[in-house]
Amino acid sequence: MSRTIAALIDVVRSEPAGALPQERSTSRKILYWGATGLVATATLLAAFSYLTTAPQAVENFRHVGYPQQLRVLLGIAKLSGAIVLLLPRLPTLREWAYAGFTFMWIAASVAHYLAGDKPLFLLPVALIAVLTVSYITRSSDRRVSSDGMLS
């Protein structure tokens, strides 16, 4: 899987010979918005189930040994993070959202693995891969420069 991600990174960073700048930009935008849309949709649906106390969400938290208070906190965090990823002009908050989703999905993967959910622990890993595509392909107006401002 790491080879696949490395190959994707090489494709995104490389500039194919003969491709017009507009074509490279269009491909990058499609990759960015597809990956970002998938991440936002997944997190918004999860936030909705967490915050409405859907029985399956409550049971999943019980199954992995997490307290129900964490379900509410993660529901708020997922809702906030998904909104921040989609809104323009919030580069610093967007960086925090990317980091938060990464930490959250690493913890979810470990929790499901330790709870014996062997195939389910791969779902957060797949979401991290999609999040990585979103992060790598974001445009310069959605990045933070070294001084914390838009680059």
Side-chain angles (χ1 to χ4, degrees):
M1 180 143 154
S2 63
R3 285 187 182 184
T4 305
I5 293 171
L8 177 62
I9 291 169
D10 289 341
V11 167
V12 169
R13 287 190 178 165
S14 69
E15 297 188 1
L20 298 172
Q22 183 181 15
E23 292 171 349
R24 288 189 300 266
S25 176
T26 302
S27 299
R28 190 178 189 107
K29 283 180 184 178
I30 290 170
L31 269 173
Y32 171 76
W33 283 111
T36 304
L38 185 59
V39 167
T41 300
T43 55
L44 285 171
L45 290 172
F48 179 76
S49 71
Y50 289 10
L51 295 173
T52 59
T53 61
Q56 186 173 2
V58 172
E59 174 55 27
N60 282 342
F61 270 74
R62 188 207 57 73
H63 173 68
V64 297
Y66 285 166
Q68 294 301 313
Q69 298 88 337
L70 183 61
R71 178 183 46 78
V72 175
L73 290 173
L74 284 176
I76 293 168
K78 286 182 178 204
L79 177 63
S80 303
I83 290 169
V84 165
L85 282 184
L86 296 173
L87 292 178
R89 297 187 185 92
L90 299 170
T92 304
L93 287 177
R94 190 172 300 106
E95 293 291 323
W96 281 92
Y98 280 119
F101 287 149
T102 301
F103 298 139
M104 174 186 59
W105 285 327
I106 289 170
S109 183
V110 170
H112 284 293
Y113 181 80
L114 294 176
D117 302 333
K118 299 299 184 214
L120 188 59
F121 87 94
L122 293 174
L123 178 60
V125 173
L127 288 169
I128 290 171
V130 175
L131 185 70
T132 302
V133 171
S134 171
Y135 186 80
I136 290 171
T137 59
R138 71 195 192 288
S139 63
S140 61
D141 65 337
R142 292 181 166 268
R143 296 175 188 245
V144 176
S145 66
S146 60
D147 62 0
M149 304 302 287
L150 284 172
S151 59

